[in-house]
């Protein structure tokens, strides 16, 4: 079902998981060297594959037995991880942040047979920035940081220029990555997003649908969805 929904990171044999496994390796380096384990995933503009990257990187990370991985959907207006993982929550992260009746804790779904917990949101037209700056959101971030050191959080966030949600949230995280799409995202947009969020927390830029340099040579990585090949801060491949 995951593959049918475009999530390939659970299966390292599938050539389409390769890019996400390479990103996983870089994030694990950051975890070891800088103790980063709360990583936001943003984009400058919508519809460039941000949630696709978030879901696949979280799935790939969940294959590491040293981790308990969480995929957290903070895109409160247009969240899509619920659909990506085929969930049908009675209440969601948005309900918790709004203080809805019966939502005393954020909804969390452990996937059978996997070390991945999904905290979904059901999107809606809400005052998202205010909710992410609110008491419940701040409590949630504190609990993430104070939780077991094995826990690793991938937080799918709204596009940077859709609202001020991302800039409101990123200060509570360890780092963020920017997703861009080849042929769609402008260099200026990436630079402006980084300038707004701050370079000190930038973990890297992931180029979705980047096809240059993905040579098969018997490894079977020339598939269209070997997308998401990343670029580190110093410009090298990851």
């Amino acid at each position: 079902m995951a593959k049918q929904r475009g999530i390939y990171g659970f299966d390292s044999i599938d050539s389409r998981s390769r890019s996400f496994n390479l990103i996983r390796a870089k994030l694990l380096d950051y975890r070891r060297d800088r103790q980063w384990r709360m990583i936001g995933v943003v984009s400058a503009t919508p519809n460039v594959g941000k949630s696709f990257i978030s879901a696949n990187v979280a799935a790939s990370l969940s294959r590491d037995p040293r981790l308990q991985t969480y995929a957290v959907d903070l895109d409160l207006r247009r969240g899509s991880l619920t659909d990506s993982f085929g969930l049908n929550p009675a209440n969601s992260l948005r309900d918790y942040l709004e203080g809805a009746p019966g939502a005393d804790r954020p909804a969390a779904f452990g996937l059978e047979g996997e070390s991945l917990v999904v905290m979904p949101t059901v999107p809606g037209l809400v005052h998202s920035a205010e909710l992410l700056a609110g008491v419940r959101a701040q409590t949630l971030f504190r609990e993430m940081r104070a939780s077991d050191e094995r826990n690793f959080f991938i937080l799918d966030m709204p596009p940077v220029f859709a609202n001020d949600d991302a800039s409101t949230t990123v200060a509570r995280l360890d780092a963020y990555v920017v997703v861009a799409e080849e042929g769609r995202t402008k260099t200026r947009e990436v630079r402006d997003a980084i300038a707004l969020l701050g370079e000190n927390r930038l973990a890297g830029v992931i180029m979705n649908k980047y096809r240059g340099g993905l040579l098969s040579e018997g490894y079977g990585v020339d598939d269209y969805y070997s997308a998401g090949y990343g670029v580190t801060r110093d410009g090298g491949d990851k």
Side-chain angles (χ1 to χ4, degrees):
M1 186 187 73
K3 288 185 179 181
Q4 291 173 355
R5 295 174 180 270
I7 303 176
Y8 311 109
F10 290 120
D11 184 2
S12 61
I13 297 177
D14 191 318
S15 65
R16 294 169 293 187
S17 72
R18 176 180 181 269
S19 299
F20 310 111
N21 295 338
L22 296 174
I23 295 168
R24 172 183 66 190
K26 190 64 178 179
L27 293 179
L28 291 176
D29 284 345
Y30 285 142
R31 177 177 179 266
R32 182 190 64 242
D33 298 338
R34 307 183 190 183
Q35 290 74 56
W36 286 356
R37 59 193 187 97
M38 295 172 63
I39 309 295
V41 181
V42 303
S43 59
T45 57
N47 302 318
V48 296
K50 171 182 62 67
S51 296
F52 168 72
I53 298 293
S54 297
N56 275 284
V57 170
S60 180
L61 282 163
S62 75
R63 305 304 297 163
D64 189 312
R66 297 169 295 180
L67 304 179
Q68 173 61 62
T69 306
Y70 290 77
V72 184
D73 197 341
L74 292 182
D75 196 345
L76 302 183
R77 295 188 183 181
R78 295 186 60 185
S80 60
L81 292 188
T82 301
D83 291 337
S84 296
F85 288 100
L87 302 176
N88 185 26
N91 58 64
S92 71
L93 184 55
R94 176 168 63 88
D95 296 306
Y96 165 73
L97 297 179
E98 290 180 320
D104 297 327
R105 300 288 298 173
F109 293 80
L111 302 189
E112 185 177 359
E114 305 293 344
S115 295
L116 177 63
V117 174
V118 181
M119 299 174 65
T121 194
V122 175
L125 188 59
V126 295
H127 297 289
S128 50
E130 290 86 342
L131 289 177
L132 291 171
V135 172
R136 286 199 168 199
Q138 302 313 305
T139 299
L140 178 62
F141 296 139
R142 285 195 299 270
E143 290 182 353
M144 288 180 184
R145 191 166 298 283
S147 68
D148 192 304
E149 291 184 359
R150 292 180 61 249
N151 294 346
F152 199 102
F153 300 92
I154 296 296
L155 300 101
D156 188 26
M157 298 163 59
V160 173
F161 298 114
N163 199 14
D164 60 343
D165 298 26
S167 55
T168 296
T169 305
V170 75
R172 305 306 301 263
L173 309 181
D174 293 319
Y176 69 93
V177 296
V178 179
V179 175
E181 182 178 314
E182 184 178 36
R184 185 182 183 98
T185 305
K186 298 178 175 61
T187 301
R188 172 182 54 81
E189 294 172 338
V190 174
R191 289 174 176 166
D192 288 349
I194 293 170
L196 181 64
L197 298 181
E199 192 170 345
N200 60 321
R201 285 189 172 89
L202 175 64
V205 177
I206 297 172
M207 183 66 75
N208 191 24
K209 297 186 179 178
Y210 174 68
R211 303 189 68 175
L214 290 179
L215 302 179
S216 179
E217 296 181 350
Y219 286 94
V221 298
D222 53 351
D223 187 276
Y224 174 81
Y225 274 110
S226 287
Y229 204 75
V231 179
T232 64
R233 292 181 63 176
D234 61 4
D237 291 338
K238 74 176 179 187

